[in-house]
Amino acid sequence: MRRVRLSPGADLDGFRHSVRGLVAEGVPPDEAVFEAGEEAGLFGAPASEEEAPTLSLPRAVADLVRLVVCHADPERYALIYRLVWRVTHGERRLLEVGSDPLVHRLERMAKGVRRDIHKMHAFLRFREAERVGERERFVAWFEPEHHILEAAAPFFRDRFSGFDWSIHTPEASAHWNGERLIVGPGGRPEDAPDVDGFEEGWATYYASTFNPARANTRAMLNEMPKKYWRNMPETSLIPSMLAAAPQRVAAMVAAQPAEPRKRPPTRALRAMTDQEPKTLEDLNRIILASEPLVPGATRAVLGEGRIGSELAFVGEQPGDQEDIEGRPFVGPAGKLLTRALDDAGIPRAEAYVTNAVKHFKFEQRGKRRIHKKPTAGEVKHYRWWLMKELDLVHPRLTIALGATAALALAGKTVSVTKVRGPMGYVGLDGKERQGFVTVHPSFLLRLPDEAAKRREYDAFVADLHAAHELARDLAA
Amino acid sequence: MDEKLARKLRVLADAAKYDASCASSGAPKRKAEKGGLGSTTGAGICHAYTPDGRCVSLLKILLTNYCLYDCAYCVNRRSSNVERARFTVDEVVSLTVNFYKRNYIEGLFLSSGIVRTPDHTMELLIEVAKKLRREHGFRGYIHLKTIPEASPWLVEQAGIWADRLSINVELPTPGSLKMLAPEKNAATIRGAMGQMRERIDEAKEEKRRFSPAGQSTQMIVGADDTRDADVLKTSASLYDGFRLKRVYYSAFSPIPEASAVLPLKAPPLRRENRLYQADWLFRYYGFAVEEIVAGGEGGMLDLSIDPKLAWALKHRERFPVDVNRADREMLLRVPGLGTRAVDKIIRARRHATLRLDDLARLTPGLKRARPFLVVPDHRPTRLLDRADLKARLVPQPTQMELFA
Ligand code: SF4
């Protein structure tokens, strides 16, 4: 017989260490005895000085071991050793055989441990304690069924990073100080404060959220067995909630439908449906107050120009310069647009300018803010505002500059090269509007050689000219 | 907590409790930032159960139960004499944070009666979520109810802060909705759900955050006379059309201050349960809605047995099924076998021929499955031909079983 002594609780390291030794020496499961005792770490037998070679176990087995060592059953180590032995002796895929009695039993144990951890995450209640330093401090008392404190504690660290907390259990305690998770000795219920200012409010909530017409204690007890109730302040109300339920239901059913005590709020009802922004200022106020829907984005850059302008120009999004000045089309592309408008004989006063996306989407690289093209989804986040804006400005013709603007008008991807020229689109009211698609002036700026630049500039001016003509025709 | 706030909490939790959609699942896993508050776990956590067997996961409250609408089924409709209250934005934020710190909740599920205008109401809901995220670095779960009559740009705003958005279709057919909720409109509701679906899909594709736990909805059953067949067809089309995470069925239950046009009787809890089971069958078990409905009579599900058993009893020629050979699809149709058990069976039978003992270790539902199965040491001779098979399988009338 080989006797292996392990620390009390879930001694995963000790167990791993001894199992390596046992397997290396070929000790069969029937000849190994595991004892969890006070004299931690002193195991009787395979104590060779150097570490036995690590065992390579399938991932699923390792996961199962990690859970089952937490189980309260004193036989747990022996059972796992049996599993490890079989897995390392020809039955590598043993865990797939859920019908095997050993696998079945270990899986049930793992399930019990998993459930216990889950219930601890669910049912533990913190109470606020006096601060030690600056930080808030909360303390809880909890009685798990298995040795799970260490397995359960990281959840609380990940969730409650901003205050100090301690969790006491009969067997061990865990403490978080904002930097480190420390495991300490077990404690008593008195280690947690005996009141908390919010418990009454919580009980109020618990009682109010209960629907007496649906009372079903079995479902409740299945999920929240009585053994947990002791440390859950709200559960003390359950008996009275249940006792009062039948009467409450009977009273509801018996009550005659009552006439409303108040007169119908006619004025408020009329005002209720009247929420649409009615002026461009109203809409702009909404846009300014809203959260940007692209990353980067410091402030909203609104459209500019006269209501009833003949032409409305829609660009992609404000750039660096536009974002700094808070006005659209003031950067290099904007200057080029102004020049082209001039060359096309369109008075600037006849042009309303705006962008599909109202914020500058960029990525900070060192000191530079690098322009990022908005995605289709982002353009659609902004589309409602654009559509409303165009309705309020009410131009004769809307000109989409580039693919992003065309997407914003059409509501779907549009190829500028293919569609270039007049394009109908559908407004929020479902009615058709007249649009026109051409390139974005920044495209002209990016062209490498002068000849192409000139050629494309002329084509752009020709487009503007054509659009202007079209707008005139529409007016006639 | 001071008394005034406690009163508001009582009134506004009471007003919110008829909405069943309180799950905290589906959000991507998050941890608190250093010094911050809140995380999400994926599957969600129920922090308590009330004596109705329902899970308490999120702080489920209304911002206010003053409401300009007059939905007949709702305790908060404007013509009801119920006690009213109104939280400030800061009160909701502080309650959420303080409850969360004590580990009472996974986060917030916030809805509201319609005050002033739908836009105004929606803006207040968004304000709460934004404050939680911005000022408290709150990374817990937030579920916001979307008001379909609000301007569409507000949905775009809500999705930035929320983990889940939802709009209740309320009733299974547009006709019922028109009759019982005069201010609501089925087309507007579906329009807003369509908008959310598009944005959620696009964001997922573009790896951006927008209501990452998707959208859900709730349908009240038993307030109108829609048959189960139509309820299920509606939900199938909702799952399909809007990629909903969940359709919640809520048995219409008596409310205080009830309206004269609605029946006041015990909530059809068993029906609700059967609908959930049917919902599961067409989503995870490969059943078509028509097949499920055909298990009952006249477009209603059989209340005495679950819909899978009902289907099996009407298709006895497909049984018994050989556990060691049948394909997954057919195993899933065996009463008593859940998806998990079926997967375990398939894995285990690659290594050994399964016998009755083995099955007992692979599924907790063997007793119900037995008459429909064949294994080397068990063949249900003629059991399937017995006229009283149904009677033998109907569970003894005990207390109502319900999904949590
Ligand atoms: S809108 Fe209808 S369902 Fe919502 S709170 Fe008001 S009355 Fe109730």
Side-chain angles (χ1 to χ4, degrees), chain A residues 154-177:
Chain A
F155 164 87
F156 295 101
R157 174 199 61 205
D158 293 345
R159 176 160 291 197
F160 303 116
S161 161
F163 55 76
D164 291 352
W165 52 257
S166 295
I167 297 171
H168 299 276
T169 75
E171 206 168 72
S173 56
H175 311 269
W176 169 252
N177 60 13

Side-chain angles (χ1 to χ4, degrees), chain B residues 15 62 64-78 111-114 149 170 181 183-184:
Chain B
L62 300 190
T64 173
N65 67 338
Y66 285 98
C67 187
L68 285 166
Y69 286 17
D70 208 28
C71 311
Y73 48 82
C74 177
V75 59
N76 306 311
R77 69 192 184 286
R78 65 168 187 261
S111 179
S112 181
I114 311 291
E149 296 78 23
E170 310 288 15
E183 287 83 11
K184 295 192 178 178

Side-chain angles (χ1 to χ4, degrees), chain B residues 6-218:
Chain B
R7 183 193 81 90
K8 290 186 187 184
L9 181 58
R10 176 174 56 73
V11 172
L12 294 168
D14 196 88
K17 74 180 169 206
Y18 301 96
D19 199 312
S21 42
C22 97
S24 54
S25 56
K29 287 191 185 178
R30 294 191 295 261
K31 292 178 184 176
E33 277 175 304
K34 194 168 162 52
L37 179 69
S39 61
T40 45
T41 59
I45 295 175
C46 294
H47 284 274
Y49 291 81
T50 45
D52 49 25
R54 283 181 158 179
C55 148
V56 182
S57 184
L58 303 171
L59 172 61
K60 178 166 64 177
I61 46 177
L62 300 190
L63 190 58
T64 173
N65 67 338
Y66 285 98
C67 187
L68 285 166
Y69 286 17
D70 208 28
C71 311
Y73 48 82
C74 177
V75 59
N76 306 311
R77 69 192 184 286
R78 65 168 187 261
S79 59
S80 134
N81 295 322
V82 76
E83 181 183 357
R84 309 274 173 177
R86 181 194 306 248
F87 276 130
T88 64
V89 166
D90 287 329
E91 283 168 341
V92 177
V93 169
S94 144
L95 264 181
T96 308
V97 166
N98 278 302
F99 277 10
Y100 195 86
K101 282 180 176 170
R102 287 157 180 80
N103 204 41
Y104 301 158
I105 52 171
E106 282 298 285
L108 176 66
F109 174 16
L110 189 62
S111 179
S112 181
I114 311 291
V115 280
R116 221 142 85 192
T117 63
D119 274 8
H120 173 71
T121 312
M122 193 71 216
E123 277 161 8
L124 290 175
L125 298 182
I126 293 171
E127 184 68 21
V128 170
K130 179 171 170 174
K131 270 210 164 157
L132 276 170
R133 298 278 195 233
R134 271 278 154 79
E135 288 173 22
H136 296 269
F138 181 69
R139 292 224 174 160
Y141 200 92
I142 299 181
H143 177 166
L144 290 183
K145 199 104 268 182
T146 307
I147 298 164
E149 296 78 23
S151 298
W153 49 77
L154 291 172
V155 171
E156 311 290 342
Q157 294 281 307
I160 310 176
W161 312 108
D163 287 294
R164 172 166 289 179
L165 295 174
S166 68
I167 299 177
N168 289 351
V169 296
E170 310 288 15
L171 294 160
T173 68
S176 304
L177 189 70
K178 196 164 178 190
M179 210 160 64
L180 297 177
E183 287 83 11
K184 295 192 178 178
N185 173 296
T188 310
I189 290 176
R190 279 170 176 71
M193 288 170 89
Q195 179 190 351
M196 298 198 305
R197 181 215 154 146
E198 272 185 36
R199 288 309 97 69
I200 290 167
D201 284 359
E202 286 157 3
K204 198 152 270 165
E205 190 140 306
E206 294 166 4
K207 301 209 164 48
R208 292 182 296 115
R209 211 194 116 90
F210 184 89
S211 187
Q215 61 169 325
S216 64
T217 195
Q218 169 172 291

Side-chain angles (χ1 to χ4, degrees), chain A residues 3-291:
Chain A
R3 307 192 88 74
V4 176
R5 307 213 59 170
L6 296 165
S7 311
D11 186 3
L12 182 61
D13 288 339
F15 178 66
R16 260 198 203 132
H17 180 84
S18 54
V19 163
R20 278 176 207 158
L22 292 171
V23 172
E25 289 183 44
V27 181
D30 286 337
E31 282 170 32
V33 176
F34 296 86
E35 287 165 354
E38 290 308 313
E39 296 134 78
L42 294 177
F43 27 99
S48 62
E49 282 303 300
E50 69 260 34
E51 185 81 358
T54 43
L55 282 176
S56 102
L57 292 174
R59 173 97 186 258
V61 176
D63 290 344
L64 188 76
V65 172
R66 213 170 302 125
L67 283 169
V68 177
V69 291
C70 301
H71 203 279
D73 189 338
E75 275 194 71
R76 62 189 180 280
Y77 295 118
L79 290 168
I80 309 174
Y81 185 51
R82 226 165 255 288
L83 178 84
V84 171
W85 181 265
R86 286 175 62 188
V87 167
T88 50
H89 287 78
E91 292 180 86
R92 242 190 124 64
R93 291 164 69 187
L94 179 57
L95 272 198
E96 290 180 17
V97 193
S99 52
D100 181 277
L102 178 64
V103 174
H104 175 63
R105 178 153 177 205
L106 286 169
E107 263 172 5
R108 273 206 356 236
M109 291 168 81
K111 195 171 163 196
V113 170
R114 229 181 280 121
R115 181 173 156 102
D116 202 31
I117 293 173
H118 184 79
K119 294 300 182 195
M120 179 167 180
H121 294 163
F123 297 154
L124 175 138
R125 301 286 181 255
F126 276 122
R127 286 178 170 153
E128 188 162 18
E130 243 170 82
R131 295 183 188 205
V132 179
E134 284 285 281
R135 285 161 60 88
E136 281 183 297
R137 203 161 71 86
F138 287 82
V139 180
W141 165 253
F142 193 80
E143 293 161 275
E145 199 177 322
H146 303 290
H147 313 293
I148 56 161
L149 179 63
E150 279 183 71
F155 164 87
F156 295 101
R157 174 199 61 205
D158 293 345
R159 176 160 291 197
F160 303 116
S161 161
F163 55 76
D164 291 352
W165 52 257
S166 295
I167 297 171
H168 299 276
T169 75
E171 206 168 72
S173 56
H175 311 269
W176 169 252
N177 60 13
E179 298 292 333
R180 266 177 0 110
L181 192 58
I182 299 151
V183 175
R188 294 164 306 147
E190 298 80 67
D191 290 330
D194 48 14
V195 283
D196 183 283
F198 276 86
E199 265 172 25
E200 220 172 303
W202 169 240
T204 302
Y205 172 73
Y206 179 75
S208 309
T209 200
F210 162 61
N211 182 351
R214 303 180 59 108
N216 178 352
T217 45
R218 205 181 63 182
M220 168 183 69
L221 288 169
N222 257 341
E223 293 298 337
M224 191 172 75
K226 277 207 170 137
K227 65 180 178 203
Y228 294 109
W229 289 21
R230 239 178 325 174
N231 300 312
M232 299 171 75
E234 64 274 25
T235 54
S236 64
L237 293 176
I238 292 173
S240 59
M241 285 159 74
L242 279 169
Q247 267 173 349
R248 288 174 67 194
V249 179
M252 283 192 281
V253 174
Q256 292 300 312
E259 282 301 305
R261 271 198 293 275
K262 282 201 193 137
R263 268 181 292 122
T266 341
R267 285 246 300 290
L269 285 174
R270 223 176 302 129
M272 170 177 78
T273 48
D274 189 27
Q275 61 180 2
E276 286 277 298
K278 270 173 231 44
T279 64
L280 194 53
E281 287 77 59
D282 285 348
L283 177 68
N284 284 341
R285 218 171 300 128
I286 292 172
I287 297 175
L288 287 174
S290 296
E291 193 64 21

